[in-house]
């Protein structure tokens, strides 16, 4: 665990600034040698157990991540091997902070078209591996984590709809400017580090998430009052509050984990969902709106009847 007090010792920041501007108090950081696949494995096993599904029954494994263990094989392939689910389709989806929503959207389509009946969907990240720990504008924001769900085909869809979007024109506002095809030379490419123009990202995020709420409700002929829970991407409590306001939802109907997890990118929505379900907050039949926004820009939502 890394607290705001720990960060005060690393960079010129304060607990007060971090809590007021982001809502974050602490974040989890992987141990030396621990990888995204390690986190995925733990989350996947817990999800399979909760769903009563055996790994060998899976038709597909989809991992949303922007911090894979290797260039290839994909984290999904590494995970498949760990789970002993050999033979099923396995792939990673890289959509930065929207990675879990993208993976969920792909899995939902696999099931709807009849290709698959049991799909494991994971969102997992070890962002701490690419945080510049000398840069106060970013290092206070991020953490590591993973969550997972198992989708199974059913006559009554639990996932009512998913909506996925991107706009690559904003590629300069949030990125990691190091890549294989550019020669992978972090030392001459500004370091393997997340760079973000925070306040510009903030404005686009608030507007875009507001719009995707409208899009999601309209696609399902629903109104704001039909939504029981908002399970948002956990980047900043102020962004979460803006989306809750858009939905006219009181904050006790919003799942918030950003205070303890920070921004875990693709890990954040499934972590929040997992926590809310396991704590017994969410009742069967309730309507959940999941949303995320991140580098790309990418953004997405899912409307779910639990
Ligand atoms: O998950 C992917 C999507 N990401 C997001 O959605 C994140 C979106 N952005 C944000 O959450 C916010 O923009 C931040 C939390 C990153 C920053 O909050 P802000 O209210 O937009 O602050 P700012 O960037 O406008 O900076 C305000 C001031 C600046 O000082 P001056 O220029 O006003 O003197 C910064 O240098 O705060 C300063 N500052 C800090 N001070 C103490 C920036 N970082 C820190 C820090 N500690 N860690």
């Amino acid at each position: 665990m890394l607290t705001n007090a720990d960060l005060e010792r690393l960079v010129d920041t304060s607990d007060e600034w971090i809590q007021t501007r982001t809502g974050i108090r602490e974040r989890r950081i992987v141990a030396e040698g621990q990888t995204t696949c390690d986190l995925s494995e733990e989350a996947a096993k817990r999800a399979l157990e909760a769903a009563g599904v055996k790994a060998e029954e899976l038709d597909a494994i989809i991992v949303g991540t922007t911090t894979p263990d290797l260039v290839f094989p994909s984290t999904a392939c590494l995970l498949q091997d760990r789970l002993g689910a050999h033979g099923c389709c396995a792939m990673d989806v890289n959509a930065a902070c929207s990675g879990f929503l993208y993976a969920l959207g792909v899995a939902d389509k696999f099931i709807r078209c009849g290709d698959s009946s049991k799909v494991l969907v994971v969102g997992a990240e070890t962002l701490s591996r690419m945080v510049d720990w000398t840069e106060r504008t970013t290092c206070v924001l991020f953490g590591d984590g993973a969550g997972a769900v198992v989708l199974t085909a059913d006559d009554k869809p639990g996932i009512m709809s998913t909506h996925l979007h991107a706009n690559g024109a904003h590629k300069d506002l949030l990125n990691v400017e190091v890549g294989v095809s550019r020669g992978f030379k972090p030392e001459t490419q500004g370091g393997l580090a997340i760079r973000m123009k925070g306040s510009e990202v903030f404005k686009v995020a608030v507007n875009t998430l507001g719009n995707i709420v409208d899009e999601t409700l309209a696609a399902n002929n629903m109104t704001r009052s039909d939504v029981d829970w908002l399970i948002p991407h956990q980047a900043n409590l102020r962004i979460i509050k803006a989306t809750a306001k858009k939905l006219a939802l009181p904050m006790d109907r919003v799942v918030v984990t950003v205070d303890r997890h920070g921004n875990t990118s693709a890990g954040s929505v499934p972590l929040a969902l997992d926590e809310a379900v396991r704590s017994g907050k969410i009742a069967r039949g309730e309507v959940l709106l999941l949303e995320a926004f991140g580098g790309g820009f990418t953004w997405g939502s899912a409307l779910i009847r639990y």
Side-chain angles (χ1 to χ4, degrees), residues 14 20 33 44 69 80 84 86 96 104 118 142 186 191 228 261 268:
S14 66
T20 316
D69 289 28
Q80 188 215 49
H86 301 125
L104 195 68
K118 290 187 172 63
F142 301 106
D228 296 301
H261 297 164
S268 96

Side-chain angles (χ1 to χ4, degrees), residues 12-14 17 21-22 97 136-137 140-141 174 196 198-199 201-202 205 233 235-236 238-239 263 293-294:
D12 179 18
T13 190
S14 66
W17 190 96
R21 300 290 179 127
T22 72
C97 295
R136 71 173 183 172
T137 58
V140 301
L141 304 173
L174 175 56
M196 175 164 71
S199 57
V201 176
F202 187 99
H233 174 46
N236 186 315
R238 290 185 292 145
I239 299 177
N263 181 349
F293 178 90

Side-chain angles (χ1 to χ4, degrees), residues 29-47:
I29 305 293
V30 279
E32 180 93 38
Q34 200 174 18
T35 68
T36 296
C37 190
D38 294 332
L39 301 187
S40 302
E41 183 182 358
E42 206 167 316
K45 285 181 172 163
R46 283 165 58 97

Side-chain angles (χ1 to χ4, degrees), residues 11-281:
V11 289
D12 179 18
T13 190
S14 66
D15 174 50
E16 202 261 329
W17 190 96
I18 302 171
Q19 287 214 40
T20 316
R21 300 290 179 127
T22 72
I24 301 169
R25 286 189 284 114
E26 60 200 35
R27 59 294 281 146
R28 270 63 195 164
I29 305 293
V30 279
E32 180 93 38
Q34 200 174 18
T35 68
T36 296
C37 190
D38 294 332
L39 301 187
S40 302
E41 183 182 358
E42 206 167 316
K45 285 181 172 163
R46 283 165 58 97
L48 287 165
E49 193 191 353
V53 171
K54 291 194 180 68
E56 52 272 28
E57 295 174 56
L58 292 171
D59 301 308
I61 298 174
I62 309 179
V63 178
T65 187
T66 192
T67 47
D69 289 28
L70 306 171
V71 172
F72 68 86
S74 66
T75 307
C77 284
L78 302 179
L79 176 63
Q80 188 215 49
D81 185 43
R82 299 253 190 115
L83 297 175
H86 301 125
C88 74
C89 157
M91 64 175 155
D92 287 1
V93 175
N94 178 348
C97 295
S98 311
F100 177 75
L101 264 306
Y102 264 62
L104 195 68
V106 172
D108 182 46
K109 265 82 178 169
F110 267 45
I111 286 182
R112 280 177 192 270
C113 77
D115 181 83
S116 302
S117 62
K118 290 187 172 63
V119 184
L120 171 67
V121 183
V122 182
E125 302 279 13
T126 47
L127 286 187
S128 65
R129 303 282 188 228
M130 52 183 197
V131 163
D132 178 350
W133 293 104
T134 66
E135 176 53 71
R136 71 173 183 172
T137 58
T138 49
C139 77
V140 301
L141 304 173
F142 301 106
D144 301 328
V149 298
V150 178
L151 302 190
T152 53
D154 198 285
D155 294 343
K156 287 190 219 112
I159 298 185
M160 295 151 80
S161 67
T162 60
H163 306 269
L164 307 176
H165 298 282
N167 185 351
H170 296 294
K171 61 188 179 301
D172 297 327
L173 295 183
L174 175 56
N175 57 40
V176 177
E177 288 239 287
V178 174
V180 175
S181 188
R182 288 190 179 185
F184 198 76
K185 294 191 186 78
E187 58 290 347
T188 57
Q189 291 168 338
L192 182 63
I194 302 168
R195 305 283 172 209
M196 175 164 71
K197 297 196 171 109
S199 57
E200 289 172 61
V201 176
F202 187 99
K203 283 178 217 140
V204 184
V206 169
N207 282 332
T208 306
L209 290 171
N211 292 340
I212 208 167
V213 165
D214 289 337
E215 179 190 350
T216 310
L217 293 177
N220 291 281
N221 290 320
M222 283 187 157
T223 63
R224 300 187 299 184
S225 59
D226 294 314
V227 176
D228 296 301
W229 290 96
L230 171 64
I231 305 181
H233 174 46
Q234 310 282 324
N236 186 315
L237 187 58
R238 290 185 292 145
I239 299 177
I240 294 173
K241 283 184 173 166
T243 312
K245 196 169 164 200
K246 173 84 189 176
L247 276 164
L249 267 184
M251 282 308 284
D252 62 3
R253 286 272 149 182
V254 181
V255 180
V256 175
T257 59
V258 69
D259 52 329
R260 285 154 293 131
H261 297 164
N263 181 349
T264 57
S265 183
S268 96
V269 172
L271 268 172
L273 177 65
D274 186 81
E275 193 174 288
V277 167
R278 285 180 197 273
S279 71
K281 264 187 187 175

